[in-house]
Amino acid sequence: MALSANLFLRQSQSLVMTPQLMQSIQLLQMTHIELIQFISQEVEKNPLLELASDDADLGANSSSGGEPEANVETAKVDDESAFALSSDWYEPGQANSLNERLDSNFDSALSDEASATRADAPELLGQWKSMPGSTGESGEAYDLDDFVAGQVSLRDHLNQQIPFALVNAGDRLIAAALLDHLDEAGYLRADLDEIATRLGNELADIEAVLEVLQTLDPPGVFARSLSECLAIQLRQRDRLDPAMAALVDNLELLAKRDFNLLKKLCGVDEEDLIDMLAEIRKLHPKPGSGFEGGSLETVIPDIVVRPAADAGWHVELNADALPRVLVNQNYATEVGNNGATTDADQAFLSECMQNASWLTRSLDQRARTIMKVASEIVRQQDAFLQHGVDHLRPLNLKTVADAIKMHESTVSRVTSNKYMLTPRGLFELKYFFSVSIGSAEGGDSHSAEAVRHRIRMMIAQESPEAVLSDDDIVLSLKSGGVDLARRTVAKYREAMNIPSSVQRRREKRAMAKATAI
């Protein structure tokens, strides 16, 4: 066969991962904070994009993105109820009716002094409106946060005590260096040798200053380990005897609940060990946690689920978690007609318009996808929303993906770091997906999370005389229709940090004796 070059015309379809498509995928799995940061960067780069406020006037020449398509219910106030509320307030001319209803004389209460006060009310109201931040003619809301006292941090609290505890200026310099290595829990995370070398002091001087700092409030601060933290608190309570010191030095045995070995090391009997454990429970393992730390990020739900009037569920996207982005068409037209004269300017304006349109479409598609996935999850987990975690159904990504005609990877991205606010509480969307456990009677399968909840409730309700073993839990679950192996029960119990039946029996009896004493 002779080799020759030929031309063929062929038509095919292929999916190309363009930069915009990759950003759309990333946009789908972003959290609320990441989404806000990304949009802020895009608005800073693109002059045609604007962030719309809650009271922004959406003109006919502007297009928005990220709007949820959900049936949002609007609360209505009954006119009769509003009239009844307004009639409860005192108005001039109503004194006689109020006297008859409440059997009181309001005429005597409205004295000349009170009348003078009412006469001064307009002047006081004018002063109030003139205050910064108050609701006046400008319509700006009065912000009470401006008058809230600031939170005292752990560093500020210790800085107030150091001048009284250390008189020498050199010791205060060492204390400031040690304070810089204090974490939020109040522990010292530093190498004393390194600090001594950096400051040019002897190690004994650093240790002497540290010993003074460990006497400050809160008790246990500047400790280098949990054992030292507990020892400092016990020393300040005058409870650090040799037996208690041995207990604090062997906290790993206490974590393993090896009480027999602890009694030997401490040289005490069972009753004394119970008293010592009760004393340990009164201590604070993180002395600095009660002070203002870093900024806390509040979880904002992406989906809100409420009971509907037709005994169903009303699912909507949370407007607070959906940033509204507008494309300023008027500005684009004005710049295109008057400002953009060169080809480079026209190309830049065209690119900005394409990016802005893409962002609004991507935000709208993101909102629609989240809404579809959340609605299907609510439909699948209707029994959980009505009756609780015992009725949580086993669910996987493929079931939801097949129901809404999407790929499993898309559902996985949607459910990552997204939260749903339900009448049962706030849950991550991943919470509703759990492994299926077979039924002992051949009925419907059970969710692994529901089975773990049953195990937790059974152990919580057991008495010291009737502690359930893993075999007992297996039999109890089997009688309830759950077919589970003993090793699986042990795995679930250990994952929930629940000790074995022998350890629980010992602890419950010890607690019962301590309560009786």
Side-chain angles (χ1 to χ4, degrees), residues 65-80:
E67 288 297 317
E69 291 200 352
N71 185 15
V72 182
E73 297 180 356
T74 304
K76 298 181 180 179
V77 180
D78 192 357
D79 294 338
E80 297 181 358

Side-chain angles (χ1 to χ4, degrees), residues 96 121 167 368:
N96 295 331
V167 181
R368 293 173 183 270

